Amino acid sequence: MFSIGYAACLHSKVAAPIMVLPAKEGRQRQYFDTMKRNKIMYVSTVKTTTEATTVIRSQLTQLDKTEKQKSRIVSILAISLADLVSLSAPELRSFEGCKGLLKDIVKGCVAKNEDGKPENGEVQRLMSSAGDAIKLSMLVFNGETTGFVAGYVRNDGAEYVDAATYNGMTKEQKARHSAEVFWNMSKTFPAMKMAGSPVPTPDAIIKPSVNDMGKAYKRHFENAPLNADQTGLEAPKRDNAEGVINSPTEARKTALALIHWLKDGNLLSAETDDKAKKVDGATLKRLAELAQQIDISVEENAKATRVADADEKAA
């Protein structure tokens, strides 16, 4: 894999060996080759791989913090990974290439086992935690197409501060800011829902949620299709849905009935009574999916409000 030849590729003037790629990675390589031909290149925020590596090392040790802190850490880590990729050999400028570069750094951060080798469990744990950062780094690296951009934000705020503004600040002002990833949603989703109807997405920069990042990665790197009104990704086909809710009123009635069902303690006996579902915990699994979808929908509603507010400020 890429990590084996990282040091050689990075420091040697000899061309890196040609490698046979899996089909999916081959498509990603083709994408980056096209980007290169069109001269859409990411400009590093640092000058050397050593600087990028230093920042990555400092952020890797912080990945187990609270979710809010983790979001900030993942953004800084993603920006530094984009820096590292931009300063590395061209053949490493893909998801797998970035993953290989990161794994080499992770191996130098974790404890060693009795044989003096990096503890594999720790390596896998950190790599798993950094998965979102790798995807986000690819979105930032290809910002001209994806709309993702490296910027700055006040530690107590959320508004986008560009690099030029940040560089003009005093040392004290800079200390009150942190690196952050922002997103021009219009480059991923041409339309958005407002009051239930699709409208053109404003050309505004906002902070993306983790869910936004995941959808954007699928759209730009996995060719996930847009839905009919271009407000999001095409929804997967429903699996054996027994009923359809056609209005907000029906949704409220259904939700109220479910709330009463849960308050009556029915979940405790559901898996015992429904023996066909007892083995895989289907009722609990379905309710967990519902809870997750509620969180996603609430975030999407909040995102629409943020985009509208940002558009008003830009006007």
Side-chain angles (χ1 to χ4, degrees):
M1 65 180 290
F2 284 110
S3 58
I4 296 175
Y6 165 59
C9 290
L10 202 57
H11 299 294
S12 174
K13 295 183 179 180
V14 180
I18 297 175
M19 307 182 78
V20 178
L21 303 173
K24 183 176 179 181
E25 188 186 341
R27 291 195 295 272
Q28 292 177 329
R29 172 68 60 78
Q30 185 178 18
Y31 175 84
F32 286 109
D33 288 343
T34 301
M35 295 289 289
K36 185 176 180 181
R37 287 197 299 272
N38 292 338
K39 297 182 179 180
I40 302 173
M41 301 299 292
Y42 172 82
V43 179
S44 174
T45 63
V46 296
K47 294 181 179 179
T48 67
T49 58
T50 300
E51 291 177 76
T53 298
T54 299
V55 177
I56 292 171
R57 283 181 180 275
S58 69
Q59 296 308 310
L60 281 169
T61 59
Q62 300 297 319
L63 275 178
D64 290 328
K65 301 293 183 181
T66 64
E67 284 305 307
K68 184 175 181 180
Q69 290 174 315
K70 183 176 178 179
S71 176
R72 180 66 53 81
I73 292 166
V74 167
S75 291
I76 297 173
L77 181 56
I79 293 169
S80 294
L81 281 170
D83 291 340
L84 183 61
V85 166
S86 73
L87 295 167
S88 299
E91 60 268 23
L92 298 176
R93 296 170 183 172
S94 66
F95 178 86
E96 289 300 326
C98 181
K99 184 177 178 181
L101 291 173
L102 178 61
K103 192 168 186 178
D104 281 330
I105 298 172
V106 168
K107 288 179 179 178
C109 293
V110 302
K112 302 293 191 294
N113 60 23
E114 56 187 16
D115 296 324
K117 297 180 179 180
E119 191 65 49
N120 188 58
E122 287 295 297
V123 172
Q124 296 304 320
R125 183 182 64 80
L126 268 181
M127 288 300 295
S128 176
S129 296
D132 287 339
I134 299 173
K135 290 183 178 180
L136 184 54
S137 72
M138 292 292 96
L139 290 167
V140 173
F141 182 74
N142 297 281
E144 288 289 333
T145 300
T146 66
F148 282 76
V149 59
Y152 297 88
V153 64
R154 279 184 62 95
N155 295 332
D156 59 353
E159 293 188 4
Y160 170 66
V161 176
D162 61 36
T165 301
Y166 177 80
N167 290 333
M169 293 180 180
T170 64
K171 183 177 181 180
E172 291 73 20
Q173 289 174 323
K174 288 182 177 179
R176 294 194 292 269
H177 289 72
S178 298
E180 185 60 86
V181 172
F182 290 84
W183 180 40
N184 183 340
M185 191 173 75
S186 66
K187 292 198 174 185
T188 301
F189 302 120
M192 60 180 286
K193 285 286 184 69
M194 290 291 288
S197 300
V199 298
T201 302
D203 186 18
I205 295 179
I206 63 170
K207 281 182 63 178
S209 66
V210 173
N211 186 48
D212 292 331
M213 298 173 194
K215 288 183 178 180
Y217 187 86
K218 288 181 180 179
R219 174 62 186 152
H220 293 291
F221 293 99
E222 297 178 359
N223 296 317
L226 293 174
N227 57 24
D229 54 19
Q230 297 190 312
T231 59
L233 301 180
E234 185 176 274
K237 293 182 179 179
R238 295 182 180 181
D239 53 336
N240 300 321
E242 296 179 359
V244 177
I245 296 175
N246 295 306
S247 70
T249 299
E250 290 183 12
R252 289 194 295 272
K253 288 181 178 180
T254 302
L256 183 59
L258 183 56
I259 289 171
H260 288 315
W261 186 83
L262 290 169
K263 283 185 175 181
D264 289 341
N266 289 303
L267 182 60
L268 298 175
S269 59
E271 302 308 328
T272 300
D273 295 339
D274 192 349
K275 294 181 180 180
K277 297 181 179 181
K278 182 179 179 181
V279 175
D280 60 0
T283 303
L284 185 59
K285 179 181 177 181
R286 187 65 73 187
L287 289 174
E289 291 173 354
L290 173 62
Q292 182 181 29
Q293 185 57 51
I294 289 173
D295 288 341
I296 290 172
S297 297
V298 168
E299 173 57 31
E300 288 178 342
N301 184 66
K303 177 181 67 181
T305 301
R306 293 197 303 271
V307 172
D309 290 344
D311 187 40
E312 287 181 7
K313 290 180 181 179

